[in-house]
């Protein structure tokens, strides 16, 4: 049975929250809730926010005109209405739109003989400004979210295991398709695997850090051209005792997370991907992409996912290190 991904290749997390009873918490942070809505619901809320306020205040303007008797003196030029040329609900609705959007066509205008209308005008102007600020702010934040920037951050379709400087390393490749770079880019990797503790507790999705250069600073990337991220399989690595045969039968997922600031906007961006056990190729190396042209370096993204087989021991890193230690000891005593 194929393992259910914790994180999809495109970075989407396969986690759904069920039986959430304290739904009021979403309303306490209504701004974030609206920003997190899908676009069709955000547009619906955007339209309803304006339409409801226009209709609500239009109804109040019509009610004021009705109570003052303005609608009964439409042809009486000696009568001073609350709003000139307001002759029904439609015109009251149009006046509400003109007031809240500050259009001001000039045909319908409030008079100074209507104190309740002046109070309502001030109230609608203030409330309309608040609605504009809130809804435009939501739309601006939603449009400027850096989620789409992650679409041009690419990860190799497979991870590979091969020798680097006589050490087994787990490697994957990352690249940025845009000319504007990710500032202060950093990379992290997590091993997602079920485990059982010595006390018998079963942890279905245990997360273990995979070192990709945190101690040496190699996790801080200058992502101008595609880079190969390497995890050295040493005694601190969870793959220390894993051989090629064991890897083919193992069940795990490696989640990689690339973070940084978008150079154009200064907002933080995060891109994610994952590799299942059958997406880790033992004994392969990534094909080179960079070539020197006249006056510049060229990256051929056509071979971004390509790997080539290389001679690699099928034993685990522990066995490889033990064999190297015995060889060095034999050489020492021979000398």
């Amino acid at each position: 049975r194929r393992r259910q991904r914790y994180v999809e290749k495109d970075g989407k997390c396969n986690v759904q929250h069920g039986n959430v009873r304290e739904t009021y918490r979403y309303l306490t942070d209504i701004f974030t809730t609206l920003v997190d809505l899908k676009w069709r619901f955000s547009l619906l809320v955007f339209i309803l926010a304006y339409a409801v306020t226009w209709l609500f205040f239009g109804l109040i303007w019509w009610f004021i005109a009705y109570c003052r008797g303005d609608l009964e003196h439409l042809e009486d030029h000696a009568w001073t209405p609350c709003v000139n040329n307001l002759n029904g609900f439609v015109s009251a609705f149009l006046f509400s739109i003109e007031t809240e959007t500050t259009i001001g066509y000039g045909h319908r205008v409030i008079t100074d003989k209507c104190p309740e209308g002046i109070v309502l005008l001030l109230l609608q102007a203030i409330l309309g400004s608040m609605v504009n600020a809130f809804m435009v702010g939501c739309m601006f934040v939603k449009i400027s979210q850096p989620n789409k920037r992650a679409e041009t951050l690419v990860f190799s379709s497979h991870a590979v295991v091969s020798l680097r400087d006589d050490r087994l390393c787990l490697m994957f490749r990352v690249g940025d398709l845009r000319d504007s770079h990710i500032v202060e880019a950093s990379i992290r990797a997590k091993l997602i695997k079920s485990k059982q503790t010595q006390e018998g507790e079963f942890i279905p999705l245990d997360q273990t850090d995979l070192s990709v250069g945190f101690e040496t600073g190699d996790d801080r990337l200058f992502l101008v051209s595609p880079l190969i991220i390497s995890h050295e399989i040493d005694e601190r690595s969870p793959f220390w005792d894993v051989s090629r045969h064991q890897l083919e039968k193992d069940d795990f997922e490696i989640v990689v997370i690339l973070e940084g600031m978008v150079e154009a906007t200064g907002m933080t961006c995060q891109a994610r991907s994952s590799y299942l056990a059958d997406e880790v190729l033992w004994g392969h190396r990534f094909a080179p992409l960079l070539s020197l042209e006249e006056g510049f370096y060229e990256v051929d993204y056509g071979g971004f996912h390509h790997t080539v087989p290389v001679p690699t021991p099928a034993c685990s890193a522990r066995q490889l290190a033990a064999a190297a230690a015995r060889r060095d000891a034999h050489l020492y005593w021979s000398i």
Side-chain angles (χ1 to χ4, degrees):
R1 184 175 63 89
R2 184 176 178 85
R3 178 186 175 93
Q4 174 62 50
R5 287 185 181 273
Y6 189 61
V7 176
E8 293 288 349
K9 298 292 284 185
D10 60 359
K12 180 182 177 182
C13 297
N14 283 326
V15 177
Q16 295 185 4
H17 302 283
N19 198 23
V20 180
R21 299 180 180 180
E22 298 177 347
T23 54
Y24 67 89
R25 296 180 181 273
Y26 296 105
L27 297 178
T28 57
D29 187 11
I30 187 65
F31 186 84
T32 304
T33 301
L34 292 177
V35 172
D36 288 341
L37 288 177
K38 295 182 178 180
W39 266 109
R40 54 180 177 269
F41 297 117
S42 295
L43 292 176
L44 178 62
V45 172
F46 187 83
I47 294 172
L48 287 178
Y50 285 103
V52 169
T53 54
W54 293 341
L55 285 171
F56 174 73
F57 282 102
L59 182 62
I60 297 179
W61 284 114
W62 174 84
F63 183 73
I64 291 176
Y66 176 79
C67 293
R68 294 182 78 256
D70 295 344
L71 301 180
E72 300 174 359
H73 299 80
L74 296 178
E75 303 299 331
D76 187 358
H77 298 287
W79 180 266
T80 302
C82 183
V83 179
N84 288 329
N85 300 306
L86 194 151
N87 51 20
F89 177 74
V90 176
S91 59
F93 176 67
L94 293 176
F95 180 72
S96 175
I97 296 176
E98 295 172 16
T99 301
E100 192 164 330
T101 58
T102 65
I103 294 176
Y105 289 117
H107 183 66
R108 279 173 291 271
V109 60
I110 190 171
T111 61
D112 57 356
K113 303 297 184 181
C114 182
E116 61 272 24
I118 296 174
V119 173
L120 180 61
L121 180 67
L122 295 175
L123 181 62
Q124 185 173 6
I126 295 172
L127 185 61
S129 299
M130 295 173 60
V131 171
N132 284 333
F134 189 82
M135 297 311 302
V136 173
C138 286
M139 287 313 219
F140 176 77
V141 172
K142 193 171 183 63
I143 291 172
S144 60
Q145 278 184 317
N147 298 344
K148 296 302 180 182
R149 179 61 176 90
E151 298 292 332
T152 51
L153 296 173
V154 291
F155 297 86
S156 57
S157 58
H158 291 82
V160 298
V161 176
S162 62
L163 290 175
R164 262 195 175 186
D165 297 328
D166 290 333
R167 294 179 180 272
L168 275 179
C169 294
L170 172 72
M171 295 170 284
F172 57 91
R173 181 146 61 186
V174 298
D176 188 1
L177 302 180
R178 288 189 179 273
D179 293 331
S180 59
H181 308 305
I182 295 293
V183 182
E184 293 293 330
S186 62
I187 191 77
R188 291 182 290 137
K190 295 275 188 180
L191 175 65
I192 310 295
K193 186 178 181 180
S194 301
K195 65 173 290 188
Q196 189 169 6
T197 64
Q198 296 179 358
E199 295 77 17
E201 179 187 3
F202 179 73
I203 304 177
L205 294 173
D206 183 61
Q207 299 185 12
T208 305
D209 277 323
L210 296 179
S211 176
V212 288
F214 177 77
E215 298 85 357
T216 60
D218 291 339
D219 63 327
R220 314 295 294 183
L221 308 180
F222 183 47
L223 198 57
V224 177
S225 61
L227 299 176
I228 296 177
I229 310 303
S230 175
H231 163 67
E232 182 179 328
I233 304 177
D234 54 15
E235 59 274 5
R236 297 173 298 175
S237 171
F239 296 106
W240 177 239
D241 293 312
V242 177
S243 63
R244 178 173 186 172
H245 180 67
Q246 291 172 321
L247 181 68
E248 293 173 352
K249 299 187 301 181
D250 211 343
D251 185 21
F252 62 84
E253 181 177 356
I254 300 173
V255 176
V256 293
I257 306 168
L258 175 64
E259 292 180 326
M261 290 190 302
V262 182
E263 188 178 36
T265 63
M267 301 182 70
T268 302
C269 172
Q270 184 181 94
R272 299 179 294 266
S273 188
S274 68
Y275 302 97
L276 298 180
D278 57 357
E279 294 172 342
V280 179
L281 305 178
W282 191 288
H284 282 70
R285 181 185 300 160
F286 287 107
L289 303 178
L290 204 62
S291 61
L292 178 60
E293 302 297 331
E294 187 175 351
F296 62 93
Y297 292 95
E298 182 178 359
V299 179
D300 180 15
Y301 277 97
F304 183 82
H305 303 284
H306 293 174
T307 62
V308 293
V310 292
T312 305
C315 61
S316 66
R318 178 191 290 272
Q319 295 170 334
L320 187 64
R326 288 194 301 267
R327 184 174 61 250
D328 293 341
H330 176 74
L331 179 61
Y332 173 79
W333 287 112
S334 298
I335 295 175

